[in-house]
């Protein structure tokens, strides 16, 4: 999900996508929540975000939150590993 959003904001896709493409009815949809963190472009206000944003709009060459990006990738990897072990 996007900045400031929650998994609930995307959960309707679980029903909408299979209605558009029946083959997607066999897909397990997972919407992990982003941690609540301070977001620099919003004056440090805490909100759901996978990583900090220092510049807007996001473009090539801007300052990246390397630690936050790595942590977000680690969360996704952990979700995939958990699903694979089930």
């Amino acid at each position: 999900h996007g900045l400031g959003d929650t998994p609930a904001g995307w959960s309707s896709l679980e029903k909408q996508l299979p209605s558009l493409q029946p083959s997607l009815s066999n897909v397990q949809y997972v919407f992990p929540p982003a941690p609540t963190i301070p977001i620099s472009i919003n004056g440090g206000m805490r909100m759901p975000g996978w990583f900090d944003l220092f510049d807007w709009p996001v473009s090539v060459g801007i300052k990246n939150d390397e630690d936050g990006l790595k942590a977000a990738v680690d969360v996704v990897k952990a979700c995939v590993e958990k699903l694979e072990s089930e």
Side-chain angles (χ1 to χ4, degrees):
H1 58 80
L3 179 62
D5 203 355
T6 66
W10 292 85
S11 62
S12 64
L13 288 178
E14 193 166 4
K15 291 187 186 327
Q16 291 175 351
L17 292 177
S19 71
L20 298 172
Q21 179 58 265
S23 65
L24 295 176
S25 62
N26 296 325
V27 173
Q28 180 179 359
Y29 295 86
V30 178
F31 305 101
T36 299
I37 60 171
I39 303 293
S40 294
I41 62 167
N42 288 339
M45 183 188 329
R46 297 179 61 80
M47 60 180 44
W50 289 104
F51 47 85
D52 197 4
L53 294 171
F54 303 106
D55 297 302
W56 192 259
V58 175
S59 63
V60 174
I62 66 168
K63 178 181 174 185
N64 287 320
D65 176 10
E66 297 294 334
D67 291 337
L69 287 166
K70 182 184 178 318
V73 169
D74 290 344
V75 168
V76 173
K77 283 182 180 179
C79 286
V80 171
E81 289 169 2
K82 180 179 179 210
L83 290 168
E84 289 177 331
S85 70
E86 292 177 351

